[in-house]
């Protein structure tokens, strides 16, 4: 921007993203008030509240991808643990975004196995590759087993996180012990 003034759409989106991140909900009126436009004017930029929520989720995935891509490891097991711990930490740090991105039904969400098998998730690609390396699966072979096992591992972690978020563990230390034990038992079976 040459003049330093944000366009109305960007200002409204930033307000919506901040509101959702903080509260887990948005209203077009509140977003409009924060952006200095009417709620009706927001519909010019976002055809529906769902379109706005999809945009919020897309930005959330950008943050999530950047955070988890930064996870480095010396071995496939280190990469796997880094990604899954990053997933857990994202759920703790950004509970409202996590819910929108990974719990709420969204028509535009990537679907398993088609989207993931087509490498449409950078983070999942790294997890999948690392699981395949743990299995010593040939790089040019049929990746269906490692694809499904990577998904199983993600689902196991996701389920434990949802139980934690629902208060099903006596404390965070117990949750972490159970989660890490579940992941290690899964990886030992590869």
């Amino acid at each position: 921007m040459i003049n330093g003034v944000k366009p109305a759409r960007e200002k409204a989106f930033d307000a919506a993203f901040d509101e959702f991140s903080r509260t887990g909900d948005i209203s077009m009126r509140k977003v409009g008030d924060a952006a200095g436009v009417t709620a009706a004017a927001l519909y010019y930029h976002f055809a529906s509240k769902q379109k706005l929520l999809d945009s919020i989720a897309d930005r959330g995935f950008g943050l999530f991808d950047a955070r988890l891509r930064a996870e480095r490891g010396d071995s496939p097991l280190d990469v796997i643990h880094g990604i899954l711990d990053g997933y857990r930490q994202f759920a703790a740090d950004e509970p409202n975004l996590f819910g929108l991105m990974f719990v709420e039904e969204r028509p535009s969400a990537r679907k398993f196995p088609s989207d993931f098998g087509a490498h449409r998730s950078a983070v999942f690609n790294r997890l999948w590759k690392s699981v395949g390396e743990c299995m010593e699966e040939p790089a040019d072979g049929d990746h269906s087993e490692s694809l499904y096992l990577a998904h199983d591992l993600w689902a196991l972690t996701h389920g434990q996180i949802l139980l934690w978020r629902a208060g099903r563990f006596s404390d965070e230390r117990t949750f972490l012990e159970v989660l890490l034990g579940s992941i290690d038992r899964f990886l030992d079976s590869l």
Side-chain angles (χ1 to χ4, degrees), residues 63-134:
L63 297 171
F64 176 75
D65 285 350
R67 179 187 274 191
L68 270 66
R69 281 190 204 198
E71 295 291 337
R72 297 286 175 233
D74 294 330
S75 71
L77 289 175
D78 290 341
V79 171
I80 291 168
H81 279 285
I83 289 171
L84 297 178
D85 189 59
Y87 186 57
R88 177 201 58 82
Q89 192 61 51
F90 186 84
D93 294 346
E94 300 290 348
N96 297 321
L97 285 174
F98 178 86
L100 177 64
M101 294 161 54
F102 297 107
V103 178
E104 299 299 320
E105 183 177 352
R106 289 183 317 102
S108 63
R110 286 173 272 210
K111 307 291 190 269
F112 187 85
S114 58
D115 292 325
F116 294 92
H119 302 282
R120 293 191 180 114
S121 170
V123 172
F124 186 84
N125 289 344
R126 289 186 64 223
L127 182 67
W128 178 12
K129 179 179 184 268
S130 296
V131 167
E133 289 172 357
C134 287

Side-chain angles (χ1 to χ4, degrees), residues 124 127-128 131 145-155 186:
F124 186 84
L127 182 67
W128 178 12
V131 167
E145 187 174 5
S146 62
L147 171 67
Y148 280 84
L149 287 171
H151 184 266
D152 291 347
L153 184 55
W154 193 278
F186 185 96

Side-chain angles (χ1 to χ4, degrees), residues 13 16-17 20 24-28 46 48-61 96-97 100-101 104-106 108:
F13 179 71
F17 187 85
F20 189 88
D25 194 18
I26 55 168
S27 83
M28 297 303 254
F46 303 98
S48 66
K49 184 176 176 179
Q50 185 60 53
K51 294 287 185 191
L52 181 55
L53 287 170
D54 288 343
S55 294
I56 291 169
D58 289 345
R59 181 183 278 182
F61 276 112
N96 297 321
L97 285 174
L100 177 64
M101 294 161 54
E104 299 299 320
E105 183 177 352
R106 289 183 317 102
S108 63

Side-chain angles (χ1 to χ4, degrees), residues 114-186:
S114 58
D115 292 325
F116 294 92
H119 302 282
R120 293 191 180 114
S121 170
V123 172
F124 186 84
N125 289 344
R126 289 186 64 223
L127 182 67
W128 178 12
K129 179 179 184 268
S130 296
V131 167
E133 289 172 357
C134 287
M135 298 170 58
E136 298 180 4
E137 186 175 70
D140 59 349
D142 177 8
H143 294 300
S144 62
E145 187 174 5
S146 62
L147 171 67
Y148 280 84
L149 287 171
H151 184 266
D152 291 347
L153 184 55
W154 193 278
L156 177 145
T157 303
H158 181 76
Q160 296 285 17
I161 290 169
L162 291 183
L163 290 170
W164 168 54
R165 286 175 45 123
R168 305 296 188 192
F169 290 96
S170 54
D171 55 45
E172 188 171 358
R173 190 175 132 254
T174 302
F175 160 64
L176 290 172
E177 287 173 3
V178 170
L179 176 61
L180 292 174
S182 295
I183 291 169
D184 286 342
R185 282 187 296 279
F186 185 96

